[in-house]
Amino acid sequence: MDGIRILALLGATSLVLAGCGEPQQVLQSGTMGANGHVGEVVLRNVLVEAPAGGPWRAGDDADVTLTLLTDADRPDALVAVSTDSAADVELLADRDCDGRSEQVDRIRLPAEGAVVEPGSVDTAYHLRIVDFTREVLAGTTIPLTFTFADAGRTTLDVPVEVVGDGDVPPPVTCTAAPSPTPDTTTATTAAITTGTSPSRPDAVLRGRVQAGVEPGCLVLATDRGLFLLLGGDEDVLRAGAEVVVDGTARPDQATTCQQGTPFAVTEARIAPTTR
């Protein structure tokens, strides 16, 4: 989808190719994560968690949140991440939807517009930087190199969260699929629920509402990527709100917002709080 590629270019100010020995880039509090793209894959809002009470020190581990999506017509996968600032970077996913992430050999991405079968892709995932080899301050960046099975390789300077940032996205969660009923079978994840329509299934999305890059546009940030919200209750769909929306994905619909997969909202509600 061209809108995804355009968004990736709009976020290019956060993309920096890293070289060995470069000084840490200092960012201001409130900065969102790094954005970039390689081939047909878009990396969105890549962010290292904040250290507690000081810098990350040699030997520490830190989690990295991110959103991955592709507008290719076939699936892809993140197969490796590396950095010169730590001994290793692990790929983690909650494939059992039990709230516990386990190390995996790849993070699977669905083809653009594909109807996702439960268990065929990873909807709840993150990275873990293992054993920092140097001190890393909050508000600076570290280089992370991402390797995809088909799209290739790219390096981003990824910011380290500053404690108190108000725009840090919520952690990704995974909800197990409910038991099927005689009339409908619904496969649920934290991001998208496929319904019964054979042509374009109805869906349920959960995520945080963000202001779009164009005036008057709202997008929903989920662990499956960005969705452009079309319609819905304006009292519920406000920037910063954590919501659940019902509706239909319309990836072929033309819009002026140039951002996210269009999603026609039939119902919107504030997301229930989870502990």
Side-chain angles (χ1 to χ4, degrees), residues 24 47-64 85-86 128-142 158-163:
Q24 295 180 20
L47 189 67
V48 180
E49 69 172 317
W56 291 115
R57 303 188 184 279
D60 286 346
D61 300 342
D63 286 347
V64 180
S85 300
R128 178 167 296 143
I129 297 173
V130 178
D131 193 8
F132 277 112
T133 55
R134 61 182 175 87
E135 183 177 278
V136 177
L137 300 174
T140 62
T141 65
I142 64 170
V158 176
V160 180
E161 178 190 345
V162 176
V163 175

Side-chain angles (χ1 to χ4, degrees), residues 109-202:
L109 310 179
E112 193 276 328
V115 177
V116 177
E117 295 294 332
S120 64
V121 298
D122 295 310
T123 58
Y125 53 81
H126 66 282
L127 312 175
R128 178 167 296 143
I129 297 173
V130 178
D131 193 8
F132 277 112
T133 55
R134 61 182 175 87
E135 183 177 278
V136 177
L137 300 174
T140 62
T141 65
I142 64 170
L144 291 180
T145 298
F146 298 82
T147 302
F148 294 88
D150 291 331
R153 180 180 299 176
T154 189
T155 299
L156 303 182
D157 269 359
V158 176
V160 180
E161 178 190 345
V162 176
V163 175
D165 281 355
D167 56 358
V168 176
V172 174
T173 58
C174 180
T175 304
S179 300
T181 67
D183 296 327
T184 181
T185 300
T186 306
T188 307
T189 71
I192 186 166
T193 302
T194 59
T196 58
S197 169
S199 58
R200 177 60 58 188
D202 292 340

Side-chain angles (χ1 to χ4, degrees), residues 8 41-42 55 79 98 121-122 130 137 143 153 171 193 198 219-220 223 261:
V41 171
V42 175
V79 296
D98 59 3
V121 298
D122 295 310
V130 178
L137 300 174
R153 180 180 299 176
T193 302
V219 295
L220 187 69
D223 64 324
T261 300

Side-chain angles (χ1 to χ4, degrees), residues 52-140:
W56 291 115
R57 303 188 184 279
D60 286 346
D61 300 342
D63 286 347
V64 180
T65 57
L66 73 166
T67 297
L68 302 172
L69 57 152
T70 176
D71 61 351
D73 58 3
R74 60 180 181 178
D76 205 339
L78 177 65
V79 296
V81 181
S82 61
T83 180
D84 61 7
S85 300
D88 193 16
V89 181
E90 297 176 347
L91 313 182
L92 301 171
D94 181 8
R95 291 183 175 174
D96 295 328
C97 288
D98 59 3
R100 295 190 296 270
S101 295
E102 299 178 349
Q103 188 172 356
V104 296
D105 62 353
R106 60 183 51 215
I107 293 174
R108 303 164 296 177
L109 310 179
E112 193 276 328
V115 177
V116 177
E117 295 294 332
S120 64
V121 298
D122 295 310
T123 58
Y125 53 81
H126 66 282
L127 312 175
R128 178 167 296 143
I129 297 173
V130 178
D131 193 8
F132 277 112
T133 55
R134 61 182 175 87
E135 183 177 278
V136 177
L137 300 174
T140 62

